Amino acid sequence: MPWWSWILIWVALTAVALLFYALIGYRIFRQFMAVLREVQAAGSRLSFPPAAVPAAPEDAGTRGPAIFEDPEAARRRYEDGKAARKDARRERRVERRRLRGQPRAWRDIPGL
């Protein structure tokens, strides 16, 4: 066999191997893109709606910097807000327990 036949054989083998790798790479790329489409579809099916942003109090935008506010008024507003948040938590807890059929706690009964 002449020496140039070995070169032709190796060139043909290399070309076939490169063609094989290109076909395998193309197939893997297409499968990867199909997986991405499925992930996107699953994400859109499982996505949660954005949470509602609680409304700011009416006086929140009209107040100036707290450093210029009367300390007693700031303390009173803080205590009022704290009590309102505590009552709201208690109401949510009572309602949640009522929906689940659980007994009401003594601490949830106002006036005791």
Side-chain angles (χ1 to χ4, degrees):
M1 237 185 345
W3 63 270
W4 53 266
S5 63
W6 289 106
I7 294 174
L8 286 178
I9 290 172
W10 281 106
V11 166
L13 285 175
T14 306
V16 169
L18 288 175
L19 179 65
F20 177 73
Y21 289 139
L23 290 175
I24 293 296
Y26 179 70
R27 185 172 178 205
I28 289 174
F29 174 75
R30 289 197 38 145
Q31 289 176 351
F32 178 72
M33 293 306 285
V35 167
L36 284 182
R37 279 192 299 273
E38 288 295 322
V39 166
Q40 183 179 11
S44 65
R45 284 192 306 263
L46 296 176
S47 65
F48 298 105
V53 177
E58 296 82 27
D59 63 338
T62 60
R63 288 195 319 258
I67 195 160
F68 299 120
E69 191 173 355
D70 179 38
E72 291 302 317
R75 172 61 63 184
R76 199 169 35 256
R77 193 181 71 251
Y78 170 73
E79 293 296 334
D80 292 344
K82 185 175 171 183
R85 290 187 300 272
K86 185 176 179 181
D87 289 340
R89 280 194 307 271
R90 184 182 57 79
E91 290 298 324
R92 287 193 309 264
R93 183 175 56 244
V94 167
E95 183 63 22
R96 188 173 55 241
R97 291 178 70 103
R98 186 189 65 77
L99 290 174
R100 292 179 182 167
Q102 297 173 334
R104 193 166 177 186
W106 284 104
R107 69 173 186 229
D108 293 336
I109 299 174
L112 290 180

